[in-house]
Structures are given as structure tokens and as C-alpha cells.
Amino acid sequence: MTRPSAPYAGRPSRRTRDTSVVGRRPVGGRVHPCRPRRLPVLRQCSVQVVSDLCGPASRLDRPWTPVQAAMIAAAATADTMRAVRAMPGWPIEIGPLAYAFAPRADQPGTGALLVAPQVPQLSAALLADAAELLSEFDAVLGPTTGAGWWAFGLREPAHGATLRAMPGALSSAGSLTVAALRLGLRVAMLPTLRELGTGADVPVVAGHCPAGSEFAVTVAHLSRGRG
């Protein structure tokens, strides 16, 4: 007596290089490979770190000594520059606010982003969010807990010349918002970051810095020395 054959279940399965089993029909209990999702293309921006946007290191005195305040300010700048330089292919310049949004012939059609020079809690993710918002809005603004701002960007940098011509437009987050709205720009707000305005802000800002922050390490070292 011959043994009945099994019902036909399609062509024999084959194994791919990743050892997953693929059949003609989906079969329960088997793993079917899928193509990985394509990562979104990161929008590119040109960045200007505004050298004169923060005050002297002496603003951080009390309870820090002048030498400690200078070390803290330098660490804040180092962290800011590290975050900016982590953005692949983004042109970076350092200059005063008077040169904000200067036209760049080598970067047509890209947004422009101004960044404060001492934002140690800055991360590549925040910069990427700003660039992504510029694909939908005319401007982005990142205010601080004080009256200032840590980032301001324009999808069309040509609007920057008009803003520079408006007295006090770039002086504070509120002034920037009013000036941008007067130009008819749609403004997207970035997260509000703690301002590094006085010595009392230092430990709070250090607590919001990303892993490996030179600012946080410097503050922790100086705090142990004071104890």
C-alpha cells in the first residue's frame, strides 16, 4: 500500500543569504525578509555661529572665579561647535551678527541657520529638527529662558538683509518674532533652552547636556574642587 502524498503547497521554499525562509505563499511560523526602510534625506543648511551673541565670561562670576568662568565659557563653546560640526556636509562659518545671512554663491537654494556660540546642550538632533522645519516653514526660532535666542533660521536667506535693516530685529526672540511676522513669514518655534546668562544657570544647563559633554565634565570637576 502506497503512502498518500501530501497536498501541494506551492514551489519548494528557498533560502536567501540572510538565512530567512521564503516561499511562494506566506506560511505561518516562518520569517520573511523585508527591505529596510530608506532613511529620510537630511535637509542641508548653512550655519553661522554668531561670535558676538553672548556676553563676556565675567557674566558667569559668582559663585565661580574669573578663571573658572573662563573655563566654563570655553567648554560651552566647544560643545556647541562639536554639535554643529556633526552635521554632514553643512557649511559652517563664524562671524558677528552684522554679517548674519550673508549671501553664499556656493550654496544656492539651502536654508541658513544662525546659532548662538555657547549652547552646550545643543545636539545634532536639534539642528536636524530645525533644518526639517525649514522645509515647511519660512523661519525657525529657538528662544531661551531669557529674552535671547539660541537659533534662528531662514529658508530663504535673502530675507536676512531685510531683518538686518530693521533696528533691533535680531536683538531678542520677541523682536525676531515680530519682525518675521511683519515680513509675512511663517515661523516655527524650536524648543526653549535654558540661557547661560549667569553663574546660577551653569549647573542647571550642565544637567541638560548630552553624553560626553565637555561642559558637563568641566562643571562637575570645578564643583568638586569647590567642595
Side-chain angles (χ1 to χ4, degrees):
M1 181 176 180
T2 60
R3 188 175 182 178
S5 60
Y8 178 70
R11 296 175 59 186
S13 62
R14 60 182 175 83
R15 288 187 176 272
T16 61
R17 291 182 180 178
D18 63 358
T19 70
S20 299
V21 179
V22 183
R24 197 175 199 183
R25 301 177 184 177
V27 180
R30 291 182 177 178
V31 178
H32 298 270
C34 60
R35 295 180 179 179
R37 292 184 303 171
R38 296 182 62 183
L39 296 177
V41 178
L42 181 63
R43 182 180 175 88
Q44 192 177 63
C45 279
S46 61
V47 178
Q48 177 185 331
V49 180
V50 185
S51 57
D52 56 351
L53 200 57
C54 66
S58 59
R59 73 191 187 283
L60 303 179
D61 288 359
R62 299 181 183 181
W64 311 99
T65 67
V67 173
Q68 290 175 334
M71 294 174 62
I72 291 171
T77 300
D79 279 350
T80 304
M81 295 304 301
R82 181 173 65 172
V84 171
R85 287 170 177 155
M87 307 310 293
W90 285 24
I92 303 170
E93 293 183 344
I94 301 175
L97 196 57
Y99 296 153
F101 301 114
R104 291 181 58 93
D106 59 333
Q107 292 293 327
T110 61
L113 190 65
L114 303 181
V115 176
Q118 293 182 356
V119 191
Q121 63 270 57
L122 184 64
S123 66
L126 284 173
L127 293 172
D129 287 344
E132 186 64 26
L133 285 171
L134 283 178
S135 65
E136 304 177 23
F137 294 86
D138 302 313
V140 293
L141 175 62
T144 64
T145 50
W149 48 271
W150 61 270
F152 178 70
L154 290 173
R155 181 165 58 180
E156 295 294 338
H159 292 299
T162 306
L163 288 172
R164 290 199 308 269
M166 300 172 68
L170 299 173
S171 61
S172 67
S175 299
L176 261 177
T177 304
V178 172
L181 293 178
R182 284 181 179 175
L183 293 177
L185 304 180
R186 296 174 303 149
V187 182
M189 302 303 294
L190 297 168
T192 300
L193 299 185
R194 178 68 177 254
E195 185 176 70
L196 193 61
T198 68
D201 298 317
V202 170
V204 181
V205 172
H208 290 88
C209 290
S213 164
E214 182 174 338
F215 182 85
V217 171
T218 300
V219 172
H221 173 73
L222 294 178
S223 297
R224 287 194 298 268
R226 290 172 53 207

